Amino acid sequence: MERGILVVISGFSGAGKGTIMKELIRRYDYFLSVSATTRRPRTGEEDGKDYYFHTREEFQQMIDNGELIEWAEYVGNYYGTPKKYVEEQLANGRDVLLEIEMQGGMLVKEQFPDALLIFISPPSAKALKERLTGRGTESPEEIEKRLLRAVEEVKYMKEYDYIIVNDVLEDAIDKVNDLIRYDHYKACNSARMIEKMEREIGGFSKSEE
Ligand code: ADP
Ligand code: 5GP
């Protein structure tokens, strides 16, 4: 069995990442990493399901203990990826999805050069603003902060392997799924198969001796 693929999914707040992720894990056998955060839960969000909600002190402790693969500050709160489950799932051959912002994405890229980096973009800035406002989970001030953050984040788009435009939701879900499926055929994700063929093909020269 090959190791699973580590997939980083990023995009401006309101681009539709969460919506796409929910559908991917509902339909397929992906493991969605649950992040730790210091932000307050939104209505309906559950501890351990949407995020692990922590105080700043607890979060700092996780950093100090080396429990996070990466972490970043986003609009006044900390967000980070717990190491334990990600490593376990990858070793078990399961593809792991990290829905994280771009600074964290860049840190993962450094540590895991074979990770697949996908950027989810809205079709336009207007659509982004409409979606973020339409979601109705943030105050107008918070929305403004998130849009200003997007101004800084746009420079990271070109660092990603693929840009998927989330215009028609169903198409975007299929495209992200296809990218992960095809990534399995890369030589760097076929180490076991390569070893097996090296061993078996190597056997030809021995039988001729
Ligand atoms: P993110 O996780 O990137 O911040 P969400 O998944 O919460 O974004 O999506 C933001 C809003 O946009 C939600 O209300 C969601 O229902 C809506 N949305 C997501 N994808 C689309 C799409 N393709 N077309 C129209 N609205 C969408
Ligand atoms: P939200 O508050 O909307 O749930 O998330 C805000 C931003 O934090 C989003 O861009 C989201 O992808 C990002 N985020 C969520 N979890 C993590 C994480 O573990 N690490 C990093 N770096 N960003 C994260």
Side-chain angles (χ1 to χ4, degrees):
M1 187 185 54
E2 304 285 351
R3 267 174 76 81
I5 291 170
L6 185 59
V7 188
V8 171
I9 314 252
S10 303
F12 316 117
S13 184
K17 304 176 295 293
T19 310
I20 293 172
M21 293 301 97
K22 273 204 193 82
E23 276 308 301
L24 284 174
I25 55 163
R26 194 177 67 77
R27 296 178 196 186
Y28 309 104
D29 188 34
Y30 296 125
F31 178 82
L32 179 63
S33 162
V34 177
S35 295
T37 186
T38 61
R39 116 157 137 60
R40 288 221 220 104
R42 290 179 187 138
T43 312
E45 281 185 336
E46 287 176 41
D47 187 44
K49 184 167 165 276
D50 298 282
Y51 279 105
Y52 294 107
F53 295 100
H54 288 285
T55 62
R56 280 177 176 255
E57 291 71 29
E58 287 166 347
F59 196 93
Q60 188 59 51
Q61 198 65 58
M62 293 174 86
I63 297 173
D64 295 345
N65 294 343
E67 292 172 34
L68 302 176
I69 290 178
E70 60 71 40
W71 62 272
E73 189 174 1
Y74 179 92
V75 191
N77 285 301
Y78 293 113
Y79 296 80
T81 306
K83 199 177 279 176
K84 187 168 175 280
Y85 301 109
V86 172
E87 283 295 342
E88 272 173 18
Q89 296 295 330
L90 290 175
N92 286 337
R94 195 121 174 253
D95 298 334
V96 174
L97 310 180
L98 305 183
E99 195 228 292
I100 62 178
E101 54 72 62
M102 295 104 203
Q103 290 178 18
M106 295 302 105
L107 291 170
V108 172
K109 188 176 168 171
E110 276 171 35
Q111 289 178 65
F112 300 84
D114 294 336
L116 170 63
L117 272 75
I118 303 176
F119 192 99
I120 307 289
S121 179
S124 66
K126 183 168 170 278
L128 181 71
K129 196 169 180 179
E130 282 168 4
R131 284 180 193 177
L132 194 51
T133 313
R135 187 167 71 187
T137 49
E138 274 86 13
S139 65
E141 297 76 38
E142 180 69 21
I143 289 172
E144 192 57 32
K145 282 188 200 162
R146 286 174 178 243
L147 291 175
L148 285 175
R149 173 78 178 212
V151 177
E152 291 169 35
E153 289 179 330
V154 75
K155 67 171 184 279
Y156 289 107
M157 281 181 84
K158 58 180 181 299
E159 304 296 334
Y160 279 68
D161 296 319
Y162 295 96
I163 308 293
I164 296 297
V165 177
N166 177 22
D167 189 355
V168 178
L169 181 62
E170 275 303 312
D171 292 351
I173 294 165
D174 286 346
K175 284 175 189 169
V176 173
N177 184 48
D178 286 348
L179 286 177
I180 303 171
R181 270 192 325 123
Y182 282 109
D183 211 61
H184 279 276
Y185 303 133
K186 272 188 176 168
C188 66
N189 293 325
S190 306
R192 295 278 161 82
M193 187 59 194
I194 293 171
E195 276 168 33
K196 173 179 134 74
M197 291 314 291
E198 281 173 349
R199 215 172 36 247
E200 290 181 7
I201 297 285
F204 290 152
S205 62
K206 288 197 187 87
S207 60
E208 278 170 15
E209 280 165 10

